[in-house]
mmCIF file of all heavy atoms in Angstrom:
data_model
loop_
_atom_site.group_PDB
_atom_site.id
_atom_site.type_symbol
_atom_site.label_atom_id
_atom_site.label_comp_id
_atom_site.label_asym_id
_atom_site.label_seq_id
_atom_site.Cartn_x
_atom_site.Cartn_y
_atom_site.Cartn_z
ATOM 1 N N GLY W 409 126.113 143.174 94.534
ATOM 2 C CA GLY W 409 125.982 141.875 93.883
ATOM 3 C C GLY W 409 127.161 140.956 94.075
ATOM 4 O O GLY W 409 127.161 139.829 93.557
ATOM 5 N N ALA W 410 128.175 141.391 94.821
ATOM 6 C CA ALA W 410 129.339 140.523 95.050
ATOM 7 C C ALA W 410 128.906 139.264 95.797
ATOM 8 O O ALA W 410 128.075 139.333 96.703
ATOM 9 C CB ALA W 410 130.405 141.271 95.853
ATOM 10 N N PRO W 411 129.461 138.102 95.414
ATOM 11 C CA PRO W 411 129.037 136.837 96.044
ATOM 12 C C PRO W 411 129.518 136.764 97.492
ATOM 13 O O PRO W 411 130.690 137.026 97.771
ATOM 14 C CB PRO W 411 129.701 135.772 95.176
ATOM 15 C CG PRO W 411 130.870 136.459 94.542
ATOM 16 C CD PRO W 411 130.466 137.893 94.366
ATOM 17 N N VAL W 412 128.631 136.392 98.368
ATOM 18 C CA VAL W 412 128.940 136.386 99.791
ATOM 19 C C VAL W 412 128.121 135.293 100.465
ATOM 20 O O VAL W 412 127.053 134.924 99.980
ATOM 21 C CB VAL W 412 128.654 137.790 100.401
ATOM 22 C CG1 VAL W 412 127.188 138.175 100.278
ATOM 23 C CG2 VAL W 412 129.119 137.882 101.848
ATOM 24 N N MET W 413 128.651 134.748 101.537
ATOM 25 C CA MET W 413 127.913 133.755 102.332
ATOM 26 C C MET W 413 127.731 134.251 103.751
ATOM 27 O O MET W 413 128.579 134.973 104.287
ATOM 28 C CB MET W 413 128.661 132.425 102.377
ATOM 29 C CG MET W 413 128.751 131.711 101.044
ATOM 30 S SD MET W 413 129.437 130.034 101.272
ATOM 31 C CE MET W 413 130.600 129.984 99.915
ATOM 32 N N TYR W 414 126.623 133.803 104.328
ATOM 33 C CA TYR W 414 126.325 134.061 105.749
ATOM 34 C C TYR W 414 126.922 132.897 106.539
ATOM 35 O O TYR W 414 126.481 131.751 106.410
ATOM 36 C CB TYR W 414 124.811 134.123 105.939
ATOM 37 C CG TYR W 414 124.353 134.369 107.376
ATOM 38 C CD1 TYR W 414 123.766 135.579 107.719
ATOM 39 C CD2 TYR W 414 124.489 133.394 108.359
ATOM 40 C CE1 TYR W 414 123.339 135.816 109.020
ATOM 41 C CE2 TYR W 414 124.074 133.630 109.661
ATOM 42 C CZ TYR W 414 123.494 134.836 109.990
ATOM 43 O OH TYR W 414 123.072 135.075 111.274
ATOM 44 N N GLY W 415 127.938 133.188 107.352
ATOM 45 C CA GLY W 415 128.556 132.133 108.142
ATOM 46 C C GLY W 415 128.033 132.120 109.567
ATOM 47 O O GLY W 415 127.880 133.170 110.192
ATOM 48 N N GLY W 416 127.748 130.936 110.063
ATOM 49 C CA GLY W 416 127.370 130.785 111.471
ATOM 50 C C GLY W 416 128.376 129.879 112.150
ATOM 51 O O GLY W 416 128.717 128.825 111.620
ATOM 52 N N PHE W 417 128.884 130.297 113.279
ATOM 53 C CA PHE W 417 129.810 129.445 114.031
ATOM 54 C C PHE W 417 129.589 129.720 115.515
ATOM 55 O O PHE W 417 130.513 130.076 116.240
ATOM 56 C CB PHE W 417 131.246 129.707 113.616
ATOM 57 C CG PHE W 417 132.149 128.501 113.681
ATOM 58 C CD1 PHE W 417 133.160 128.317 112.753
ATOM 59 C CD2 PHE W 417 131.991 127.527 114.669
ATOM 60 C CE1 PHE W 417 133.993 127.198 112.797
ATOM 61 C CE2 PHE W 417 132.818 126.414 114.715
ATOM 62 C CZ PHE W 417 133.817 126.249 113.786
ATOM 63 N N THR W 418 128.338 129.536 115.931
ATOM 64 C CA THR W 418 127.990 129.717 117.338
ATOM 65 C C THR W 418 128.007 128.363 118.025
ATOM 66 O O THR W 418 127.364 127.421 117.568
ATOM 67 C CB THR W 418 126.595 130.358 117.467
ATOM 68 O OG1 THR W 418 126.666 131.720 117.042
ATOM 69 C CG2 THR W 418 126.089 130.305 118.908
ATOM 70 N N SER W 419 128.790 128.261 119.076
ATOM 71 C CA SER W 419 128.733 127.075 119.924
ATOM 72 C C SER W 419 128.857 127.538 121.368
ATOM 73 O O SER W 419 128.816 128.743 121.645
ATOM 74 C CB SER W 419 129.824 126.070 119.552
ATOM 75 O OG SER W 419 129.561 124.819 120.176
ATOM 76 N N ASN W 420 128.989 126.589 122.264
ATOM 77 C CA ASN W 420 129.090 126.958 123.673
ATOM 78 C C ASN W 420 130.479 126.628 124.194
ATOM 79 O O ASN W 420 131.251 125.922 123.551
ATOM 80 C CB ASN W 420 128.025 126.237 124.503
ATOM 81 C CG ASN W 420 128.030 124.729 124.304
ATOM 82 O OD1 ASN W 420 127.873 124.261 123.190
ATOM 83 N ND2 ASN W 420 128.223 123.986 125.380
ATOM 84 N N VAL W 421 130.804 127.156 125.355
ATOM 85 C CA VAL W 421 132.039 126.754 126.018
ATOM 86 C C VAL W 421 131.650 125.901 127.223
ATOM 87 O O VAL W 421 130.522 125.947 127.699
ATOM 88 C CB VAL W 421 132.878 127.962 126.492
ATOM 89 C CG1 VAL W 421 133.344 128.772 125.304
ATOM 90 C CG2 VAL W 421 132.096 128.818 127.466
ATOM 91 N N ASP W 422 132.590 125.088 127.658
ATOM 92 C CA ASP W 422 132.425 124.384 128.919
ATOM 93 C C ASP W 422 132.633 125.420 130.018
ATOM 94 O O ASP W 422 133.746 125.917 130.198
ATOM 95 C CB ASP W 422 133.454 123.259 129.016
ATOM 96 C CG ASP W 422 133.409 122.574 130.373
ATOM 97 O OD1 ASP W 422 132.567 122.947 131.208
ATOM 98 O OD2 ASP W 422 134.224 121.661 130.585
ATOM 99 N N MET W 423 131.571 125.758 130.717
ATOM 100 C CA MET W 423 131.664 126.878 131.643
ATOM 101 C C MET W 423 132.513 126.573 132.869
ATOM 102 O O MET W 423 132.851 127.461 133.635
ATOM 103 C CB MET W 423 130.265 127.349 132.052
ATOM 104 C CG MET W 423 129.473 127.960 130.903
ATOM 105 S SD MET W 423 130.387 129.232 129.945
ATOM 106 C CE MET W 423 130.588 130.491 131.202
ATOM 107 N N LYS W 424 132.852 125.305 133.044
ATOM 108 C CA LYS W 424 133.730 124.984 134.181
ATOM 109 C C LYS W 424 135.171 125.355 133.868
ATOM 110 O O LYS W 424 135.943 125.662 134.761
ATOM 111 C CB LYS W 424 133.626 123.499 134.513
ATOM 112 C CG LYS W 424 132.227 123.095 134.967
ATOM 113 C CD LYS W 424 132.199 121.655 135.480
ATOM 114 C CE LYS W 424 130.763 121.199 135.694
ATOM 115 N NZ LYS W 424 130.018 121.065 134.408
ATOM 116 N N THR W 425 135.543 125.296 132.600
ATOM 117 C CA THR W 425 136.953 125.467 132.245
ATOM 118 C C THR W 425 137.163 126.507 131.155
ATOM 119 O O THR W 425 138.291 126.910 130.905
ATOM 120 C CB THR W 425 137.523 124.139 131.696
ATOM 121 O OG1 THR W 425 136.810 123.810 130.496
ATOM 122 C CG2 THR W 425 137.346 123.004 132.702
ATOM 123 N N GLY W 426 136.112 126.916 130.490
ATOM 124 C CA GLY W 426 136.286 127.813 129.357
ATOM 125 C C GLY W 426 136.642 127.109 128.067
ATOM 126 O O GLY W 426 136.839 127.749 127.042
ATOM 127 N N ALA W 427 136.750 125.789 128.105
ATOM 128 C CA ALA W 427 137.070 125.042 126.890
ATOM 129 C C ALA W 427 135.900 125.134 125.910
ATOM 130 O O ALA W 427 134.745 125.035 126.305
ATOM 131 C CB ALA W 427 137.336 123.578 127.232
ATOM 132 N N PRO W 428 136.215 125.338 124.642
ATOM 133 C CA PRO W 428 135.133 125.368 123.660
ATOM 134 C C PRO W 428 134.566 123.968 123.443
ATOM 135 O O PRO W 428 135.288 122.978 123.535
ATOM 136 C CB PRO W 428 135.804 125.885 122.391
ATOM 137 C CG PRO W 428 137.246 125.639 122.571
ATOM 138 C CD PRO W 428 137.539 125.520 124.035
ATOM 139 N N ALA W 429 133.287 123.917 123.183
ATOM 140 C CA ALA W 429 132.605 122.647 122.943
ATOM 141 C C ALA W 429 131.982 122.688 121.556
ATOM 142 O O ALA W 429 131.557 123.744 121.098
ATOM 143 C CB ALA W 429 131.540 122.426 124.008
ATOM 144 N N PHE W 430 131.972 121.547 120.901
ATOM 145 C CA PHE W 430 131.437 121.492 119.533
ATOM 146 C C PHE W 430 130.633 120.211 119.348
ATOM 147 O O PHE W 430 130.869 119.213 120.029
ATOM 148 C CB PHE W 430 132.575 121.521 118.513
ATOM 149 C CG PHE W 430 133.362 122.788 118.524
ATOM 150 C CD1 PHE W 430 134.626 122.828 119.089
ATOM 151 C CD2 PHE W 430 132.840 123.946 117.974
ATOM 152 C CE1 PHE W 430 135.360 124.000 119.104
ATOM 153 C CE2 PHE W 430 133.572 125.125 117.991
ATOM 154 C CZ PHE W 430 134.832 125.149 118.558
ATOM 155 N N GLY W 431 129.722 120.251 118.385
ATOM 156 C CA GLY W 431 128.907 119.069 118.147
ATOM 157 C C GLY W 431 128.000 118.773 119.315
ATOM 158 O O GLY W 431 127.620 117.635 119.552
ATOM 159 N N THR W 432 127.646 119.806 120.052
ATOM 160 C CA THR W 432 126.776 119.682 121.237
ATOM 161 C C THR W 432 125.326 119.956 120.849
ATOM 162 O O THR W 432 125.048 120.455 119.755
ATOM 163 C CB THR W 432 127.198 120.719 122.280
ATOM 164 O OG1 THR W 432 127.046 122.035 121.704
ATOM 165 C CG2 THR W 432 128.650 120.519 122.705
ATOM 166 N N PRO W 433 124.382 119.656 121.750
ATOM 167 C CA PRO W 433 122.985 120.016 121.480
ATOM 168 C C PRO W 433 122.823 121.518 121.231
ATOM 169 O O PRO W 433 122.018 121.928 120.392
ATOM 170 C CB PRO W 433 122.249 119.597 122.753
ATOM 171 C CG PRO W 433 123.133 118.597 123.417
ATOM 172 C CD PRO W 433 124.530 118.939 123.035
ATOM 173 N N GLU W 434 123.604 122.322 121.957
ATOM 174 C CA GLU W 434 123.530 123.772 121.772
ATOM 175 C C GLU W 434 124.048 124.147 120.385
ATOM 176 O O GLU W 434 123.481 125.015 119.709
ATOM 177 C CB GLU W 434 124.356 124.481 122.850
ATOM 178 C CG GLU W 434 123.795 124.350 124.264
ATOM 179 C CD GLU W 434 124.096 123.011 124.926
ATOM 180 O OE1 GLU W 434 125.001 122.284 124.435
ATOM 181 O OE2 GLU W 434 123.429 122.668 125.918
#
Side-chain angles (χ1 to χ4, degrees):
Chain W
V412 62
M413 293 189 224
Y414 179 110
F417 212 145
T418 289
S419 193
N420 53 302
V421 296
D422 175 2
M423 293 311 295
K424 297 188 190 68
T425 63
F430 296 105
T432 61
E434 292 79 17

